[in-house]
Amino acid sequence: MVMQAPATTTDLANLALDLIEENHALIDVESDTTASGKAARRAFWQAWDETLRAAPWNCARKRVSLAALEEVPAWGFDSYYGLPGDYINVQEIGDLVEGEQWSVEETPLGAKAIACDIGTPLDLCYTYQLRDIAKADALFKGAFIALLGAYICPTISKDDAIEAKCWRIFNQKIAEAQGADSREGSRRPTPDSAIV
């Protein structure tokens, strides 16, 4: 018998409920009115996006070349480069010289942008706001399930030991993912920067 990978939000929510030893299986996380369904629905996308931010996932990577905005920083940097609407965090900036500083910030006109001294275009590799569960890596799903379990545990199981187990699994999966992703490509060192 071949086991199917979790393919829906309900599959993932049920795995999180299994992890916290909750015996209620959801039929549809979007419409379930039980405490388990409501808790999973409330925390689902917050936990998903936090998992995306937690590691440089290959499954959620995009590359773009950005033109400089007309708006420029008041001081400290030469240029702003507007970030894509699906941006989660920076994985790599092309042509970045070691020690060169940059910052992700909001411009005075309200755009989310990278402030830096790199000339146009700015080549950016970033984590995007992946929403297609089928494209998510197995390690990503494992980390997400653990984080969702940690978030819903206080409401559902109210067991500190189970919640701590979820956090341990999440941190282990993130460490494992960073190692696996680093073996699937080379990374340039990233300077210390303020990332929002």
Side-chain angles (χ1 to χ4, degrees):
M1 181 171 116
V2 176
M3 300 294 288
Q4 296 294 319
T8 67
T9 55
T10 302
D11 292 339
L12 294 173
N14 279 326
L15 287 169
L17 289 170
D18 290 347
L19 187 61
I20 64 168
E21 301 172 17
E22 172 61 23
N23 292 325
H24 175 74
L26 306 174
I27 302 300
D28 180 3
V29 71
E30 297 301 323
S31 61
D32 193 290
T33 58
T34 64
S36 298
K38 290 176 183 177
R41 187 168 46 254
R42 267 193 315 271
F44 193 94
W45 292 113
Q46 177 66 31
W48 184 271
D49 286 347
E50 286 184 28
T51 306
L52 284 170
R53 277 190 69 82
W57 302 99
N58 289 340
C59 64
R61 175 181 298 144
K62 282 187 181 178
R63 293 179 183 274
V64 293
S65 292
L66 303 172
L69 298 176
E70 289 184 21
E71 188 178 8
V72 296
W75 58 274
F77 294 107
D78 294 336
S79 302
Y80 279 133
Y81 294 90
L83 290 166
D86 62 354
Y87 165 86
I88 293 286
N89 64 6
V90 172
Q91 290 192 18
E92 180 182 339
I93 295 175
D95 299 326
L96 189 66
V97 177
E98 189 171 334
E100 192 167 14
Q101 298 296 302
W102 55 276
S103 177
V104 173
E105 56 194 49
E106 188 173 301
T107 71
L109 294 179
K112 194 165 190 176
I114 293 177
C116 65
D117 294 330
I118 298 172
T120 193
L122 177 78
D123 293 328
L124 175 68
C125 178
Y126 70 101
T127 300
Y128 74 96
Q129 194 173 37
L130 174 69
R131 286 292 185 258
D132 185 343
I133 290 170
K135 291 182 180 179
D137 176 274
L139 282 174
F140 175 88
K141 289 176 185 175
F144 164 75
I145 289 162
L147 185 58
L148 182 58
Y151 281 173
I152 64 178
C153 189
T155 303
I156 305 304
S157 87
K158 299 177 175 61
D159 186 324
D160 292 343
I162 293 175
E163 183 181 355
K165 173 187 77 172
C166 291
W167 283 110
R168 271 193 316 278
I169 292 169
F170 174 74
N171 289 321
Q172 289 167 350
K173 294 287 185 188
I174 294 301
E176 188 179 342
Q178 289 172 332
D181 281 356
S182 70
R183 289 187 300 274
E184 292 177 352
S186 62
R187 300 244 191 279
R188 295 181 191 169
T190 303
D192 292 336
S193 300
I195 298 179
V196 176

